[in-house]
Amino acid sequence: METAEIRRRYLQFFADRGHTVVPSASLVSPDPSLLFTVAGMVPFIPYLNGTVPAPYPRAVDSQKCIRTLDIEEVGRTPRHGTFFQMLGNWSFGDYFKQDAIRWAWELLTTSEADGGFGFDPKDLWVTVFQDDDEAEAIWRDEVGLPADRIQRLGYADNYWMTGQPGPAGPDSEIFFDRGPAYGADGGPATGDDRYVEIWNLVFMQYEIANIRSKEDFDVVRELPNKNVDTGMGLERVAFIKQGVENIYEIDQIRPVIDAASRLSGRAYGANAEDDVRMRVVSDHIRSAMMLMLDGVTPSNEGRGYVLRRLLRRSVRAMRLLGVEGATFGELFPVSRDAMSAAYPELLPESGRIQRLADAEEESFLKTLVGGTAILDTAIERTRAAGAEQVAGDTAFLLHDTYGFPIDLTLEVAEEAGLTVDRAAFDRLMQEQRSRAKADAKAKKTALADLSVYSDFRAKGETAFLGYSELVAESRVLGLIRDGRAVSSIALGDIAEVILAETTLYAESGGQDADQGEIRGPGYRLEVLDVQRPVAGLVSHRVQVVEGEVAVGDPAQTIVDPLYRRGATQAHSATHLIHAALRQVLGPDAHQAGSYNKAGYMRLDFSWNAPLSPDTRSEVEDIANLRVNEDLEVVTRVLPLDEAKAQGAMALFGEKYGDVVRMVDIGGPWSRELCGGTHVGHSSEIGLINVVGESSVGATSRRIESLVGPEAFKQFATERALVTELGANLKVPQAQIVSRVQDLAASLKAAEKRIAEFERQALAQRVPALASQARSVGGVTAVLEQVGALGGADDLRALVIDVRDRLGAVPAVVGLAATVQDRPVVIVATNAAARDAGAKAGPLAKRAAGVLGGGGGGRDDIAQGGGSDAGAIEDALAAVAQGLSS
């Protein structure tokens, strides 16, 4: 049974039983404390914990997930994958244990001919929580599962909680027995890979608090509305139904293994380690492709770093398979074809995804060359020191800073007859993980008490009236100060205000929050920020500047009209710039993030090369041409599917409901789904002045513009500057560029002549410096201060000339100078001096220590420096002492 068919049957089974089919949410998690959607429940958390009322009593979905905590296990076990699909059916206060258990068993054991999965009941085992008599009774008495195939396990295995106060409860898991060839008898309690968990039924029936550990917490009460959260692993069921050995060999993944085998010339199944590498490639290529489909681009932080790691591990695995050249051009199309039946949206995005992948692969292949050079140097130093281990901090630096994989470091070191201090490396990695966990925990804690908004959200959504009005009457539904609901706030307080209606725009979709006030009888509040802490609820962060306000008071929201006008100009300009980029560069120039506020906009877009000045000007010209055409800006509210059918762009990272707001500027030329505020006609934008274009990663660019009056101010400033330049240069404006070019050429020629004079002057000093040579520690040494020089290169040239002047006798030259008011010392030795034991590196390091800095280098020439120019004579004395010891 193909994976896509398993997915279809699951969704259809529960749809036939009254479940709303919910499309998969993005892999980019809506929870700010998570990088990715790591489990099927993540999109439903607001409904499960009661923060937001569920829009349906029961639902079914197939959710895309990414999880990288077990990334080292990928390819080594039959079931670990970074990208996986979780099938789930959900009840929000509707059905509970009986129906959840009954339906799961029915779907699993109904024959394939009758629409089920056709599992033989004798191959299935079940675990329940140790105290859940109810679940065990349902399995035994209603389903008819033999008692000896129902096992009770403890909190670690069969109890679900988030780790935070809130909903929790027991779960029941269903396992498939692969047979005695895969392990010992004894059921899932053995923990053996023979028993594969395929379905987990979570019964949220308690509210817990005071959590001291996974097994030690207080049960506050039974939940009045009990929820069911289930998850069936699509890949796990697929590998069982398809009769293969692991998830990597199912129809959606195996084609990439075959491609890796073909490219490497190594047969899958012939060598255990090669098999692991091919499975890593197949998993990571698919995972990376799905992340890029959802708008993630490679970078050095956050989600982009995880994506980059997956891509680089793929390159590394192919390298270990003997393929050192680029392979993504062949691997990604294979994965796309295997996945497109389930995700047809891959086909139109495949060009963009392929370009991102190819650019990252090319970059990493260059990184491997650079990392190898750094590692080679470390190996030379290790050998020179007589050691047998490459330092752990060197391995960590290569891994963390340069993206050079630790297994490659181990391999190269082994080839050189060395080992790596793996304990030190692992300690540094653990310290990094601990810092990351602490940061994640801090973020999670800061956002953990969203329950304070639950009661307010239960009263309904905040009505936003700001599309058509700047002032509106409302009433205070709630007040929050220091994270707690309060009945009133007074002069000077900073708090959050929840209103029934508002005209103040909450920050979203790249648009900054409105500025303005909230007023009522006897009080005035300055609005500091406007946010949506939970879906459908607007919170106004305010400071009380007059009077006192209480829950239930009337309120009037007042938007600052000048700020709103500037914000609408900037947001509409963002749409124009985006459309202009796509017109000039093509559809792959896709928005990857934006920010706009009154007078300013920036747009990040997928592209892997700088824009030429001509291209940048063309984009700006097209956008301003659209401004001058006075295009009508049309907004429509319509079903999501209809909007997409009309070509509306859904931007990556944005979450859309079933009904959306579509904004047209010039018809289909600029047609996007957008909840922001906009001008009525493009001419109201005024002027767009592109002031910057830069890189924000190997595959993303950023364009910045001033908009409206701010754009005009910038042009006025530039006009004044040009006028002043013309006056100072005494030429018309049209001749300023050529005049500046002439002056630059003259300056360059003068600098060249000066450099030649300085070189001649330095050369004239060589005989006098050589005459200062004296015997120190068995070598002929020149140790002198030469005053101030223009650069360290001048000092280096002088040192080498003096050394050469001394001839073949063992000679050491150490000269010190001040360069830009900082002391620099350079030491050079000839071959005879080095044979006598005098090496430049240690001598320069000794001198630099006296100067309050550091230094070192090769045996023949080395450099050091510091901050204490007054210690130059002592530094040269330290060199002499080093030669004498």
Side-chain angles (χ1 to χ4, degrees), residues 53-330:
Y56 23 68
R58 55 180 70 174
V60 61
D61 73 330
S62 174
Q63 176 59 49
K64 300 177 292 185
C65 302
I66 285 280
R67 192 179 297 167
T68 58
L69 287 177
D70 298 324
I71 195 169
E72 300 298 337
E73 297 299 315
V74 170
R76 299 191 178 277
T77 73
R79 63 184 188 276
H80 279 99
T82 49
F83 172 83
F84 58 97
Q85 300 157 89
M86 189 60 71
L87 301 167
N89 57 286
W90 312 82
S91 167
F92 308 108
D94 190 11
Y95 63 86
F96 201 47
K97 293 182 185 179
Q98 186 178 39
D99 286 335
I101 291 172
R102 179 168 54 85
W103 284 332
W105 188 257
E106 181 183 350
L107 177 56
L108 285 174
T109 59
T110 296
S111 69
E112 292 185 17
D114 292 326
F117 293 142
F119 281 95
D120 189 330
K122 68 179 178 60
D123 293 330
L124 300 178
W125 288 68
V126 165
T127 63
V128 297
F129 179 56
Q130 60 191 16
D131 299 330
D132 195 352
D133 298 335
E134 181 184 6
E136 182 181 23
I138 295 170
W139 281 113
R140 184 186 62 243
D141 301 335
E142 299 188 33
V143 171
L145 191 65
D148 60 358
R149 276 193 281 124
I150 305 172
Q151 296 184 325
R152 293 196 181 215
L153 298 177
Y155 285 93
D157 297 295
N158 280 80
Y159 200 90
W160 178 88
M161 68 169 70
T162 64
Q164 299 290 330
D171 65 47
S172 180
E173 299 176 0
I174 306 173
F175 291 79
F176 175 78
D177 180 2
R178 303 178 74 195
Y182 294 92
D185 292 333
T190 64
D192 200 287
D193 278 345
R194 167 177 170 172
Y195 302 94
V196 178
E197 178 196 341
I198 57 175
W199 203 330
N200 186 11
L201 313 172
V202 176
F203 309 120
M204 297 184 192
Q205 62 187 100
Y206 302 113
E207 180 182 343
I208 63 173
N210 302 321
I211 300 167
R212 295 168 289 277
S213 72
K214 173 116 175 126
E215 300 185 17
D216 186 12
F217 50 84
D218 296 336
V219 176
V220 177
R221 60 169 180 161
E222 280 212 5
L223 293 171
N225 293 317
K226 298 178 176 64
N227 300 321
V228 171
D229 158 12
T230 79
M232 188 176 85
L234 179 54
E235 283 80 5
R236 294 188 182 191
V237 174
F239 95 75
I240 294 169
K241 293 302 298 178
Q242 292 174 19
V244 295
E245 292 297 306
N246 50 64
I247 65 170
Y248 315 101
E249 296 176 13
I250 66 173
D251 59 321
Q252 287 187 343
I253 309 178
R254 176 60 188 256
V256 180
I257 289 180
D258 295 337
S261 173
R262 184 179 68 256
L263 289 168
S264 65
R266 301 187 185 186
Y268 182 67
N271 177 278
E273 281 304 308
D274 282 351
D275 289 354
V276 169
R277 291 160 185 158
M278 291 183 203
R279 292 195 287 262
V280 166
V281 171
S282 67
D283 172 88
H284 287 7
I285 291 293
R286 183 173 81 139
S287 302
M289 179 179 69
M290 298 306 292
L291 282 171
M292 289 188 282
L293 177 65
D294 278 1
V296 181
T297 57
S299 69
N300 286 328
E301 58 185 12
R303 300 180 181 96
Y305 177 77
V306 174
L307 171 58
R308 173 162 285 168
R309 186 182 181 202
L310 292 170
L311 291 168
R312 292 185 169 191
R313 280 173 59 89
S314 301
V315 173
R316 169 60 182 150
M318 290 302 297
R319 185 184 177 98
L320 289 172
L321 288 168
V323 184
E324 297 193 358
T327 62
F328 285 178
E330 296 187 54

Side-chain angles (χ1 to χ4, degrees), residues 219-536:
V219 176
V220 177
R221 60 169 180 161
E222 280 212 5
L223 293 171
N225 293 317
K226 298 178 176 64
N227 300 321
V228 171
D229 158 12
T230 79
M232 188 176 85
L234 179 54
E235 283 80 5
R236 294 188 182 191
V237 174
F239 95 75
I240 294 169
K241 293 302 298 178
Q242 292 174 19
V244 295
E245 292 297 306
N246 50 64
I247 65 170
Y248 315 101
E249 296 176 13
I250 66 173
D251 59 321
Q252 287 187 343
I253 309 178
R254 176 60 188 256
V256 180
I257 289 180
D258 295 337
S261 173
R262 184 179 68 256
L263 289 168
S264 65
R266 301 187 185 186
Y268 182 67
N271 177 278
E273 281 304 308
D274 282 351
D275 289 354
V276 169
R277 291 160 185 158
M278 291 183 203
R279 292 195 287 262
V280 166
V281 171
S282 67
D283 172 88
H284 287 7
I285 291 293
R286 183 173 81 139
S287 302
M289 179 179 69
M290 298 306 292
L291 282 171
M292 289 188 282
L293 177 65
D294 278 1
V296 181
T297 57
S299 69
N300 286 328
E301 58 185 12
R303 300 180 181 96
Y305 177 77
V306 174
L307 171 58
R308 173 162 285 168
R309 186 182 181 202
L310 292 170
L311 291 168
R312 292 185 169 191
R313 280 173 59 89
S314 301
V315 173
R316 169 60 182 150
M318 290 302 297
R319 185 184 177 98
L320 289 172
L321 288 168
V323 184
E324 297 193 358
T327 62
F328 285 178
E330 296 187 54
L331 296 176
F332 270 85
V334 171
S335 187
R336 175 203 64 203
D337 293 344
M339 291 293 292
S340 58
Y343 299 95
E345 59 269 31
L346 276 167
L347 296 176
E349 294 293 336
S350 62
R352 176 183 63 84
I353 292 170
Q354 190 67 58
R355 273 182 278 276
L356 287 172
D358 290 346
E360 186 63 21
E361 182 178 35
E362 180 183 358
S363 172
F364 185 50
L365 288 173
K366 292 177 181 177
T367 294
L368 287 176
V369 174
T372 300
I374 294 170
L375 182 54
D376 288 344
T377 300
I379 288 172
E380 289 178 10
R381 290 177 178 171
T382 303
R383 284 173 166 167
E388 297 180 353
Q389 273 194 333
V390 175
D393 56 357
T394 299
F396 180 75
L397 175 71
L398 283 165
H399 168 84
D400 190 54
T401 303
Y402 297 97
F404 201 78
I406 180 60
D407 50 356
L408 182 56
T409 301
L410 293 169
E411 179 187 298
V412 174
E414 183 179 1
E415 290 170 354
L418 302 173
T419 61
V420 176
D421 188 348
R422 187 62 188 264
F425 172 84
D426 289 342
R427 185 179 65 254
L428 291 167
M429 284 295 295
Q430 185 57 47
E431 290 173 359
Q432 184 191 63
R433 291 191 189 102
S434 297
R435 288 192 297 270
K437 287 181 179 178
D439 290 344
K441 184 176 181 181
K443 291 178 182 177
K444 188 171 185 179
T445 301
L447 295 162
D449 200 17
L450 290 178
S451 59
V452 72
Y453 301 105
S454 299
D455 291 341
F456 304 129
R457 180 61 181 81
K459 296 175 183 178
E461 296 192 22
T462 308
F464 178 63
L465 309 178
Y467 290 130
S468 56
E469 304 292 338
L470 297 183
V471 179
E473 303 298 328
S474 187
R475 60 189 176 88
V476 178
L477 293 181
L479 299 167
I480 301 171
R481 186 179 60 221
D482 299 328
R484 295 185 177 183
V486 296
S487 59
S488 65
I489 53 176
L491 184 65
D493 284 348
I494 294 178
E496 295 177 65
V497 177
I498 310 296
L499 303 174
E501 301 88 11
T502 186
T503 53
L504 290 151
Y505 184 81
E507 180 183 356
S508 61
Q511 182 174 332
D512 207 359
D514 271 337
Q515 295 180 3
E517 293 182 338
I518 300 174
R519 293 182 182 179
Y523 72 84
R524 182 165 66 90
L525 314 176
E526 179 187 354
V527 175
L528 307 176
D529 193 12
V530 191
Q531 294 291 333
R532 296 181 184 271
V534 298

Side-chain angles (χ1 to χ4, degrees), residues 795-873:
L795 181 61
R796 180 179 292 266
L798 187 59
V799 168
I800 293 172
D801 286 348
V802 174
R803 181 190 63 182
D804 294 345
R805 181 93 175 187
L806 296 178
V809 300
V812 175
V813 179
L815 301 182
T818 54
V819 176
Q820 297 179 353
D821 298 325
R822 295 181 66 85
V824 176
V825 63
I826 295 180
V827 180
T829 62
N830 64 10
R834 291 192 293 278
D835 290 342
K839 296 180 179 180
L843 295 172
K845 186 174 183 180
R846 178 187 287 261
V850 176
L851 296 172
R858 303 196 307 266
D859 291 345
D860 61 331
I861 190 163
Q863 178 176 327
S867 57
D868 186 2
I872 284 180
E873 291 297 337

Side-chain angles (χ1 to χ4, degrees), residues 549-859:
V549 59
V551 174
D553 283 355
Q556 184 183 61
T557 60
I558 305 170
V559 178
D560 180 332
L562 290 179
Y563 188 87
R564 168 64 76 82
R565 178 176 175 79
T568 60
Q569 289 173 318
H571 200 151
S572 297
T574 304
H575 284 226
L576 295 187
I577 289 290
H578 187 203
L581 281 167
R582 291 171 64 80
Q583 178 177 327
V584 174
L585 302 177
D588 287 344
H590 202 294
Q591 180 173 329
S594 68
Y595 174 71
N596 49 76
K597 62 179 182 178
Y600 169 84
M601 61 133 292
R602 72 167 183 251
L603 177 74
D604 296 346
F605 60 99
S606 301
W607 203 249
N608 59 5
L611 302 187
S612 69
D614 287 345
T615 299
R616 178 173 144 174
S617 294
E618 184 179 2
V619 169
E620 182 182 62
D621 290 345
I622 290 171
N624 279 305
L625 177 63
R626 295 302 193 183
V627 171
N628 292 335
E629 289 175 349
D630 193 29
L631 302 172
E632 184 179 8
V633 179
V634 178
T635 60
R636 286 175 283 167
V637 176
L638 66 170
L640 176 61
D641 291 342
E642 184 179 337
K644 287 184 175 180
Q646 294 185 28
M649 293 189 62
L651 303 181
F652 294 130
E654 292 294 323
K655 186 176 181 180
Y656 301 102
D658 294 334
V659 177
V660 295
R661 185 168 181 265
M662 185 170 74
V663 178
D664 287 2
I665 307 179
W669 181 76
S670 172
R671 178 170 288 166
E672 299 187 16
L673 303 183
C674 181
T677 62
H678 289 274
V679 297
H681 287 79
S682 62
S683 60
E684 297 172 36
I685 294 172
L687 185 64
I688 300 173
N689 178 9
V690 175
V691 294
E693 192 273 333
S694 59
S695 170
V696 287
T699 55
S700 294
R701 307 292 299 177
R702 171 172 293 171
I703 194 164
E704 297 177 89
S705 300
L706 297 177
V707 182
E710 293 300 320
F712 179 80
K713 289 178 185 177
Q714 178 67 17
F715 279 128
T717 300
E718 292 172 355
R719 181 179 61 186
L721 177 62
V722 170
T723 300
E724 184 177 354
L725 277 173
N728 289 337
L729 296 174
K730 297 181 174 55
V731 295
Q733 289 186 9
Q735 298 178 17
I736 288 177
V737 173
S738 60
R739 178 60 175 150
V740 168
Q741 289 173 338
D742 291 344
L743 288 173
S746 298
L747 178 61
K748 186 175 183 180
E751 289 173 341
K752 187 175 181 179
R753 289 194 298 272
I754 291 171
E756 178 61 24
F757 290 145
E758 289 178 343
R759 190 193 66 77
Q760 292 174 4
L762 285 174
Q764 291 172 3
R765 298 182 65 178
V766 171
L769 287 168
S771 69
Q772 300 299 314
R774 65 184 192 275
S775 178
V776 180
V779 301
T780 298
V782 174
L783 305 173
E784 297 291 331
Q785 180 177 183
V786 297
L789 293 179
D793 288 345
D794 293 337
L795 181 61
R796 180 179 292 266
L798 187 59
V799 168
I800 293 172
D801 286 348
V802 174
R803 181 190 63 182
D804 294 345
R805 181 93 175 187
L806 296 178
V809 300
V812 175
V813 179
L815 301 182
T818 54
V819 176
Q820 297 179 353
D821 298 325
R822 295 181 66 85
V824 176
V825 63
I826 295 180
V827 180
T829 62
N830 64 10
R834 291 192 293 278
D835 290 342
K839 296 180 179 180
L843 295 172
K845 186 174 183 180
R846 178 187 287 261
V850 176
L851 296 172
R858 303 196 307 266
D859 291 345

